[in-house]
Amino acid sequence: MRILVSGGAGYIGSHTTLQLIAAGHDAVIADDFSRSKRSVIPRLEALAARPIEVRVVDLTDRAATDALLESAGFDAVIHFAGLKAVGESVSKPLDYYRVNLGSTLSLLAAMARQGVPSIVFSSSATVYGEHAPVPMEEDFPTSATNPYGWTKVMQEQVLRDAAVADPSLRVALLRYFNPVGAHRSGTIGEDPSGIPNNLMPLLAQVAVGRRDKLLIYGDDYPTPDGTGRRDYLHVEDLAAGHVAALDRIAGSATQVSTWNLGTGTPTSVKEMVDAFSRACGHELSVEVAPRRSGDIAESYADPSRAEAELGWRATRTIDEMCADTWRWQSNNPDGYPV
Ligand code: WQD
């Protein structure tokens, strides 16, 4: 199929674009490069061993989005583009609502006009809010504690309502747990702009010497070692989940499907520090700090629906996630060049 990958120059989008191509799809990247680097593209083309079409588009621009879909005869859209930093969303809520909701509204309007039937949406376990029991199940109620999380809750609702209004629309809501890792080549990976928020890029920056220590946000949680537990999954497993979801919803009798993409196994911060030390071959400097506001003790998936309905399961281990991250970071200490 001919697939539009919005945000395809980003971390998860780039890995998914590669797997779409490997699966025989024709993937076109739409990105405004506001949070990604153009230097990703030649690296993707080298890994794909073929040119990859890129369209520079602001997806909040309705006319530009219309023109993009009108020009290229897409069979489906995978929608990654959006702002994703929890902390930044608290200080810049209007940007988050404008970009995240605006891009989804633009895409859906253009898809309806051009008759594009399927969309796979990049959602997040953050929609389970801060009081969900673990393991988290897709039928749990959704809520949020920050504007970023609310944009994900709202985009899911927009997609469900759009499907009610348009019987031809097929929607996959993919709720990511904690994506980490990198392509085994070490040439593409996660390259957060500015100071990373997430644990794995911070560990990588400490290991490569860009940062002198990792602050462990709280060791007094009700968990076996007192530190927060999360469901880390390899970005290559996550990308494979998108390819499976795309194939599953095409022509499906079910209009809207929601799938957790996680391993179902929690790992603590201290366990991640130890795993990364094994991967990089040296100890990492850590210091226990107060809890980060908004953090929950535990988050991990019940992945059984994706296993049953998509035939998908995360296979890569924590040590593989750390080894692949380390290969990317040690080969690219400062991330992608511009
Ligand atoms: C993981 C664990 C921290 C940094 C966030 C978003 C979520 C999703 C994934 C987009 C926690 C601890 C972290 C540090 C630490 N993003 N930690 N020191 O918070 O589970 O999820 O990213 O969809 O929406 O909320 O991920 O990597 O920030 O934290 O101790 O310097 O590492 O307390 O236990 P999180 P994270």
Side-chain angles (χ1 to χ4, degrees):
M1 292 188 277
R2 187 161 165 80
I3 314 295
L4 175 66
V5 185
S6 85
Y11 171 42
I12 301 165
S14 56
H15 287 79
T16 302
T17 296
L18 271 188
Q19 291 204 23
L20 287 168
I21 292 169
H25 295 293
D26 182 10
V28 174
I29 287 174
D31 208 302
D32 66 3
F33 294 102
S34 61
R35 298 288 173 105
S36 54
K37 306 266 181 58
R38 292 170 184 273
S39 53
V40 176
I41 303 303
R43 297 191 183 195
L44 281 181
E45 292 179 326
L47 291 169
R50 48 160 283 181
I52 295 173
E53 189 180 344
V54 178
R55 302 287 189 88
V56 182
V57 181
D58 170 1
L59 292 170
T60 64
D61 178 333
R62 295 281 295 265
T65 307
D66 255 1
L68 169 66
L69 270 74
E70 196 170 9
S71 67
F74 293 109
D75 300 299
V77 172
I78 303 186
H79 185 27
F80 293 104
L83 303 177
K84 59 149 282 188
V86 170
E88 183 185 53
S89 78
V90 176
S91 58
K92 299 179 178 176
L94 302 187
D95 287 351
Y96 272 68
Y97 288 112
R98 179 178 56 79
V99 171
N100 292 1
L101 289 172
S103 60
T104 301
L105 293 171
S106 285
L107 279 169
L108 285 171
M111 286 173 65
R113 244 189 295 286
Q114 302 304 325
V116 178
S118 297
I119 181 167
V120 175
F121 175 63
S122 168
S123 190
S124 166
T126 206
V127 303
Y128 290 116
E130 58 179 354
H131 301 299
V134 283
M136 289 143 170
E137 300 173 15
E138 290 90 349
D139 294 337
F140 282 6
T142 57
S143 69
T145 56
N146 57 75
Y148 161 75
W150 280 119
T151 68
K152 290 298 185 183
V153 171
M154 293 175 185
Q155 290 175 92
E156 287 196 357
Q157 191 56 49
V158 165
L159 287 157
R160 281 190 286 266
D161 290 344
V164 169
D166 176 358
S168 70
L169 187 61
R170 295 294 176 273
V171 177
L173 303 175
L174 301 185
R175 292 177 177 167
Y176 307 167
F177 280 73
N178 288 64
V180 295
H183 187 270
R184 65 189 176 286
S185 65
T187 60
I188 61 170
E190 186 174 12
D191 183 23
S193 44
I195 300 175
N197 298 295
N198 297 137
L199 179 66
M200 186 65 107
L202 284 164
L203 283 173
Q205 289 188 7
V206 170
V208 83
R210 271 177 69 180
R211 197 166 291 278
D212 62 8
K213 67 183 166 200
L214 176 88
L215 296 181
I216 294 181
Y217 293 144
D219 64 353
D220 58 350
Y221 284 101
T223 61
D225 66 15
T227 61
R229 298 210 293 177
R230 296 292 184 273
D231 184 340
Y232 299 97
L233 79 154
H234 198 293
V235 66
E236 290 283 76
D237 283 328
L238 183 60
H242 288 72
V243 179
L246 191 69
D247 293 341
R248 182 76 174 73
I249 63 173
S252 164
T254 306
Q255 275 203 268
V256 181
S257 304
T258 305
W259 290 298
N260 284 336
L261 295 185
T263 66
T265 303
T267 303
S268 77
V269 179
K270 281 181 179 170
E271 289 168 331
M272 288 300 280
V273 172
D274 294 344
F276 210 94
S277 294
R278 288 194 295 275
C280 69
H282 60 264
E283 289 306 304
L284 301 179
S285 171
V286 301
E287 181 183 309
V288 177
R291 292 183 178 189
R292 179 172 64 178
S293 71
D295 274 359
I296 56 178
E298 295 193 296
S299 164
Y300 55 93
D302 173 349
S304 56
R305 184 186 287 182
E307 289 176 27
E309 297 180 0
L310 293 179
W312 174 89
R313 202 167 52 80
T315 61
R316 293 164 176 88
T317 65
I318 292 290
D319 282 334
E320 286 174 275
M321 294 175 211
C322 292
D324 291 343
T325 300
W326 177 238
R327 190 177 308 109
W328 150 253
Q329 187 75 87
S330 52
N331 289 347
N332 305 272
D334 296 320
Y336 290 110
V338 289

